[in-house]
Amino acid sequence: MSTEQQTTTTPSITLSKAPISFIAHSQNGELIAFAVNTQLFVYNSKSNTFYDIAPTDQHTAFVRSIEFSNHKDTIADNGFIMTGSSDKCVKVWKVVDGNKVQCSKTLPLNKKIICTALNNDNDSLLVSDKCGDVFRYSLFDDSKNKLSTPNQNNNNNNKASKQDERESDENLSFGHYSSIIDLKFSKCQNYLFSADRDEKIRVSKFPNSFDIEIFCLGHKKYITEVLVVPNKPELLVTGSGDGTIKVWNWKQGKCLQTLDLNDKLIDAVTIPQCFDEKNNNLIVSVEDSPNLFIYNFDQESSTFKSTPTTVSLKASPIKVSLVNNSFLVSLMTIEPTSDLLVELETTFEIRQQSIIAESVNKISTVSLDKNALKTLLETIEKKSNRKHVSYARNPQIHKKRTNGGQPKDDDEDDLDDIPSDLDDENTTTDAATTAASQEKPLKLRKMTVEGAKEIEQELASAKQP
Amino acid sequence: MSNQVVKKKKAIKPYHRIKAHANPASDYHFYYPVSPDQHDWSKNYPDIIKADDEESKKKRVEIADVGCGYGGLTISLGTLFPETLCVGMELRDKVVQYVDERIVKLREKTPGSYQNISVIRTNGMKYLPNYFHKGQLQKIFFLFPDPHFKKANHKRRIISPTLLSEYAYILAPGALAYFISDVEELYLWMYEHFKNHPLFQQVERHVAESDPCVPLIINSSEEARKVNRIDGKKWYAVFRRIEDPATKDKSFVNYTLTSPKESTTTDASI
Ligand SMILES: C[S@@+](CC[C@H](N)C(=O)[O-])C[C@H]1O[C@@H](n2cnc3c(N)ncnc32)[C@H](O)[C@@H]1O
């Protein structure tokens, strides 16, 4: 299991750097925001300085997402920044007095936020929780939001009352039966992509998200990331634990191309990072690999060239963001002396005197104990939301049954199966497993042949006249 | 009839312990196709769909019985709609095995018949889009689903606002969804959720009552018979998949009740 691997690779040091888990930027590239564990950093690329953020404004748990408002009315003043965190809050941030970034609003959602998507209307915010439900909130009109009170937030660990909340939640927009790993809007904003820990990518209409347009099915393991390519809005690029990148015509749910990295790496987990529109390059990273894989889009054939160029880095990249004509790459590193961020030219040479990388690499080291660090690293990779194995490509099990061989006696085995998504509400897997198995009633049902006999007689008599 | 041979061949419901409920939220390790086109339906309907005959592959399943249990409804539907492919979907492996054998025996007994029915082991709450294309189904059935009384387990119920979107997706506009329960609380739950979903509209009572599927949902499944034996009540409703939520009529408030007295089934000992 991946948790164990993680333990062995994590050195038992307490003072280390926390990697940058998220990078986002304003549309004009002036503001660049970074998430480091629980903290938000905002950098001004014109003045090459960080904005001041009051420590009391910061989230109290891991920052899961950063989004810049992209409505045309707000671009002039750089709009606002929105962050979602494991502390179950969404915050809205604004630049004030020229050198400060202030939290102007906190929405307590009382849900473990897995991912968010901000609509261009500058107000609709979608949030997916651990159970695969997606809620829609208004950033600025609180009358549309059902928010939790702080005491509910802390004391309510009772499953039944949690369920009560879920059922009465007017903000529920749609949901998957599995945890949603990524949520993105189409360029036109009228569709929504949601990808889950099974293998599904769902395309829903927006705002009528109860109406599913299509599913993009083809991946054989969990999805890692959904990438919308702005200058090719009809395409969708996805990564997966199955080691491939798939390119879709999402409107038709059709897979146009599969870029397979399995021949280069064993058990590759692919992440499409960004698309360089000028040079038509798709940048892909692979979990635990220090390489970036660059796929060039051939305009003539309208497909990606199947052989990537490889770029080697010092550590495995977490996020790659194209800002102001260069790539900012955050690295999975915890050594106090190593770099958290490198800047690459669009030709992929490392920029030697990078002002931004130097500034970012100076930001304070955080002290974390071994466990906190381990959790952080796992959270960064969203590992907890993944299913370890998928059996979609193992029809052996099915064959066994249909060929009349001994069936797998797994009705009973199910009892100590992997915990359900629902039970994930308790963060620790062990607790969830025991809770689930205690609850399951093991009833015995008397089986008789009468029912079948009766029906057969009836069917026989129905056939006679 | 040659009872001896038939008797020997008759599928026997397993006497071993079978869990009465399965947890749909678990990750069961069974096969499911990556996408509808990847499933080889010729294994399910060998007389109708041939792996090497592209034309025959155009024939698609149009009726699904979700949580089919021992298959009573699936089999009756196959007889009622002999030209339509019908599939029962069930999560518990042993139950699926039983239905599978039952269908094999029926096919052997009456050659040429029961070719249009089959059973699949799957989780209806997760994998229907893996088996069916958008708008593929004409009818979907949810008969006597597990009630999951505990509040904390309500998300395991097979009808919920979020799952209804998925069911709406695989149903053709105008297609029908049927559900029935002997648990009033669960019935009301399902009814409310269907009523509130923008893509479903209740079928008028008189239309539902003349639907030939309605007698089947009331009496043909094993669970229905069990309820009859204990003289229990049943509640059902039929909803239509509509295309444009703007046309949704919100005026329906009544629901339909049936009691075994209306039914014609004979009493059987337990
Ligand atoms: C109470 S039985 C009713 C069976 C049948 N419909 C009848 O009327 O006789 C409910 C059945 O649904 C099955 N089931 C429960 N959850 C399911 C799921 N998510 N997918 C498929 N089957 C499911 C159970 O295993 C059980 O056999």
Side-chain angles (χ1 to χ4, degrees), chain A residues 131-133 159-160 163-164 166-167 172 174-178 197-200 202 205 208-215 217-220 387 390-395 397-399 401-402 407-412 414-415 417-423 436 439-445 447-456 458-460 463, chain B residues 10-21 23-32 34-36 70 72 75-76 79 92-98 100 102 106 109-110 113-114 121 125-127 129-130 134 150-156 161-163 165-166 169 189 197-199 220 222-223 225-226 229 241 243 245 265-266 268-270:
Chain A
C131 300
D133 288 334
K159 277 193 177 180
Q163 185 59 32
D164 265 337
R166 186 177 290 130
E167 279 165 22
L172 179 66
F174 71 102
H176 289 214
Y177 206 69
S178 280
R197 76 191 267 280
D198 287 337
E199 307 80 17
K200 290 195 181 57
R202 184 191 287 194
K205 293 183 180 150
N208 287 353
S209 50
F210 52 80
D211 200 354
I212 301 172
E213 178 68 25
I214 200 86
F215 283 94
L217 300 174
H219 277 299
K220 289 173 178 149
K387 184 152 69 172
S390 162
Y391 290 79
R393 58 173 162 191
N394 189 2
I397 298 163
H398 182 65
K399 265 197 207 129
R401 183 177 64 74
T402 46
K408 211 175 132 248
D409 191 10
D410 49 9
D411 271 334
E412 271 82 21
D414 297 341
L415 268 181
D417 215 321
I418 303 166
S420 69
D421 293 351
L422 261 188
D423 298 320
E439 255 170 40
K440 246 170 259 171
L442 185 74
K443 280 194 207 145
L444 297 183
R445 212 178 248 187
M447 298 301 157
T448 66
V449 288
E450 284 160 12
K453 211 186 271 173
E454 241 177 289
I455 289 163
E456 270 154 38
E458 220 168 76
L459 289 173
K463 275 204 163 173
Chain B
K10 187 172 289 169
I12 302 228
K13 283 187 193 174
Y15 280 94
H16 12 230
R17 295 157 140 240
I18 294 191
K19 260 202 335 209
H21 303 288
N23 176 4
S26 295
D27 291 326
Y28 291 92
H29 304 158
F30 53 77
Y31 153 87
Y32 51 89
V34 170
S35 65
Y70 295 110
I75 292 167
S76 312
T79 314
R92 289 181 297 166
D93 194 34
K94 284 202 182 102
V95 178
V96 174
Q97 211 188 317
Y98 166 79
D100 209 18
R102 193 172 164 186
L106 284 171
K109 214 168 109 188
T110 336
S113 296
Y114 304 105
R121 183 187 184 195
M125 296 160 86
K126 275 192 175 179
Y127 301 122
N130 293 68
K134 181 181 189 175
K150 276 193 179 175
K151 252 245 142 94
N153 288 346
H154 278 182
K155 215 202 165 185
R156 294 183 191 169
T162 53
L163 284 169
S165 289
E166 240 171 76
Y169 168 81
W189 159 285
H197 197 284
L199 298 179
S220 74
E222 285 66 23
E223 201 62 28
R225 281 147 200 277
K226 216 173 104 185
R229 287 200 285 270
R241 160 77 154 94
E243 207 156 4
T265 346
T266 45
S269 52
I270 304 157

Side-chain angles (χ1 to χ4, degrees), chain B:
Chain B
M1 259 184 253
S2 51
N3 351 337
Q4 202 103 59
V5 188
V6 176
K7 221 173 207 164
K8 231 183 180 175
K9 276 192 173 171
K10 187 172 289 169
I12 302 228
K13 283 187 193 174
Y15 280 94
H16 12 230
R17 295 157 140 240
I18 294 191
K19 260 202 335 209
H21 303 288
N23 176 4
S26 295
D27 291 326
Y28 291 92
H29 304 158
F30 53 77
Y31 153 87
Y32 51 89
V34 170
S35 65
D37 286 330
Q38 311 249 322
H39 185 70
D40 180 4
W41 290 100
S42 69
K43 291 224 171 69
N44 299 89
Y45 307 100
D47 265 26
I48 297 169
I49 298 176
K50 314 271 181 206
D52 52 1
D53 176 0
E54 286 307 316
E55 200 52 36
S56 76
K57 283 194 198 160
K58 285 190 184 148
K59 185 119 178 109
R60 286 177 172 180
V61 172
E62 289 180 11
I63 302 178
D65 176 8
V66 181
C68 68
Y70 295 110
L73 174 78
T74 310
I75 292 167
S76 312
L77 285 170
T79 314
L80 183 63
F81 302 104
E83 299 305 317
T84 310
L85 298 186
C86 174
V87 72
M89 307 186 118
E90 168 59 49
L91 186 54
R92 289 181 297 166
D93 194 34
K94 284 202 182 102
V95 178
V96 174
Q97 211 188 317
Y98 166 79
V99 180
D100 209 18
E101 282 169 29
R102 193 172 164 186
I103 294 172
V104 169
K105 301 285 144 68
L106 284 171
R107 285 177 179 171
E108 280 173 9
K109 214 168 109 188
T110 336
S113 296
Y114 304 105
Q115 294 297 336
N116 63 328
I117 53 170
S118 187
V119 67
I120 280 175
R121 183 187 184 195
T122 202
N123 184 343
M125 296 160 86
K126 275 192 175 179
Y127 301 122
L128 295 188
N130 293 68
Y131 284 97
F132 307 123
H133 291 95
K134 181 181 189 175
Q136 180 176 336
L137 295 185
Q138 291 299 333
K139 289 178 192 298
I140 194 165
F141 294 87
F142 303 95
L143 268 51
F144 305 97
D146 294 333
H148 294 294
F149 286 111
K150 276 193 179 175
K151 252 245 142 94
N153 288 346
H154 278 182
K155 215 202 165 185
R156 294 183 191 169
R157 288 182 170 173
I158 198 130
I159 301 298
S160 74
T162 53
L163 284 169
L164 280 176
S165 289
E166 240 171 76
Y167 304 147
Y169 168 81
I170 56 169
L171 287 172
L176 299 176
Y178 303 76
F179 60 91
I180 184 166
S181 179
D182 56 329
V183 179
E184 189 176 13
E185 179 202 326
L186 177 68
Y187 168 77
L188 288 172
W189 159 285
M190 297 195 286
Y191 182 80
E192 278 305 307
H193 287 321
F194 265 103
K195 204 181 78 177
N196 291 332
H197 197 284
L199 298 179
F200 286 101
Q201 166 87 55
Q202 193 180 7
V203 169
E204 302 79 350
R205 191 179 182 144
H206 68 276
V207 178
E209 277 168 356
S210 58
D211 185 323
C213 293
V214 165
L216 296 186
I217 69 169
I218 298 173
N219 286 314
S220 74
S221 77
E222 285 66 23
E223 201 62 28
R225 281 147 200 277
K226 216 173 104 185
V227 179
N228 286 349
R229 287 200 285 270
I230 56 166
D231 213 24
K233 280 186 175 157
K234 300 167 196 162
W235 293 266
Y236 75 89
V238 185
F239 278 77
R240 185 182 294 115
R241 160 77 154 94
I242 54 171
E243 207 156 4
D244 180 6
T247 65
K248 180 157 173 153
D249 179 351
K250 299 220 161 84
S251 65
F252 288 90
V253 282
N254 64 318
Y255 54 91
T256 321
L257 163 87
T258 72
S259 77
K261 281 167 209 105
E262 297 166 31
S263 75
T264 51
T265 346
T266 45
D267 225 27
S269 52
I270 304 157

